[in-house]
Amino acid sequence: MFNKTVALQPFADISAYTEGFKIVSAQIGSDGCMYVLLINQIPVRERGMFVPSTLKKPYTYKVLLVEKDYVDEVVFADQHFNYHYVQPLHNRLLLVGARCSYYGVGKYDLNAKVCDFKGNTIREFLLGDGIQSVQVTEKGIIWTSYFDEGVFGNNGWDKPIGAQGLLAWDENGNKLYEDQVSDIADCYALNAASDEEVWFYYYTDFLMGCISGGIEQPKVTFINPEISGSSGFCTDGYHFLFDGGYGKHGTYILKKNEKPGSLSAGCRIHFLNEKAEPLVPLTQDFRENRVLFSEGSLLYLVSVEEVV
């Protein structure tokens, strides 16, 4: 496998909006806008290990809507839930927490909040514990993938919502689809490229699945990318750019779909920032044919076609 170096220039500088805040996540929306979730202080893990769902004191979040040469912000003050993801949902914002607890029959945390652009809550609902990724399509279908605790259960969930590893919901939190053909123990990667094409990659088989035809008549096909432990990938349908996998996070692999059902050996990609230094992203988000990196207060956006 040969190597290739790709130098990136920042897509946006959000330093004017980050003072006193920490980046939680930076995601690509189905509308092509970038959505950055910030919090005024990262919540302390319980017993040093576990991410809390509810917070013991109020926190302030900010959501940045970032386009080229344009940044807008929405402030959410006095929040008592630990949110990790933000996506556009029609003309609203969807905040989702990765964790939620079950306390008894009819008693559980609601870890999804739909808000307007003034920060007002419209509705809340349950999307399950152990969420690995959240992506919302243009039609407002909410796709959620789950890591192992969300599949097998924790935080009081004997019958976890995410037991199948991959689900889709409508804008009110009604389940529309759940995977029934894969044996997902941990869904490492999700890429909702469109309403008609949703990709995922999972442990333990390390297969990459593609759901085509929409949720009404879904058809699932699989490709073995020959990569173990990748945390994300983007694709234009022919080229695939993967996170490098176990022991190789921070490096990337570009492969081609030259034969049906299989990918080429590929080449290893090394990204540099504008200082010609190795890019060390705090967050990364793969969506359709692009990947969004955040490093410090800078955002970098690159498409798979720019890497070829």
Side-chain angles (χ1 to χ4, degrees), residues 188 227-231 243-253 268:
Y188 280 8
I227 298 177
S228 298
S230 177
S231 63
D243 167 83
Y246 292 144
K248 299 175 183 177
H249 298 301
T251 64
Y252 302 85
I253 300 172
R268 187 166 286 113

Side-chain angles (χ1 to χ4, degrees), residues 78-105:
D78 299 322
Q79 299 296 310
H80 288 268
F81 204 85
N82 195 2
Y83 293 107
H84 302 90
Y85 312 104
V86 60
Q87 284 279 274
L89 181 62
H90 297 313
N91 60 339
R92 310 290 190 190
L93 291 172
L94 174 69
L95 299 177
V96 177
R99 309 310 303 260
C100 64
S101 297
Y102 180 86
Y103 306 104
V105 178

Side-chain angles (χ1 to χ4, degrees), residues 219-288:
K219 178 184 178 182
V220 185
T221 55
F222 295 93
I223 297 175
N224 187 348
E226 302 291 342
I227 298 177
S228 298
S230 177
S231 63
F233 64 92
C234 57
T235 180
D236 61 5
Y238 178 69
H239 302 94
F240 290 79
L241 179 66
F242 292 88
D243 167 83
Y246 292 144
K248 299 175 183 177
H249 298 301
T251 64
Y252 302 85
I253 300 172
L254 179 68
K255 290 175 174 267
K256 300 176 183 179
N257 189 10
E258 296 176 335
K259 298 179 181 179
S262 66
L263 302 180
S264 64
C267 69
R268 187 166 286 113
I269 305 296
H270 301 273
F271 288 112
L272 303 180
N273 61 22
E274 75 284 1
K275 299 178 182 178
E277 299 171 343
L279 186 73
V280 184
L282 171 67
T283 69
Q284 59 185 24
D285 183 57
F286 295 83
R287 187 73 184 265
E288 195 175 354

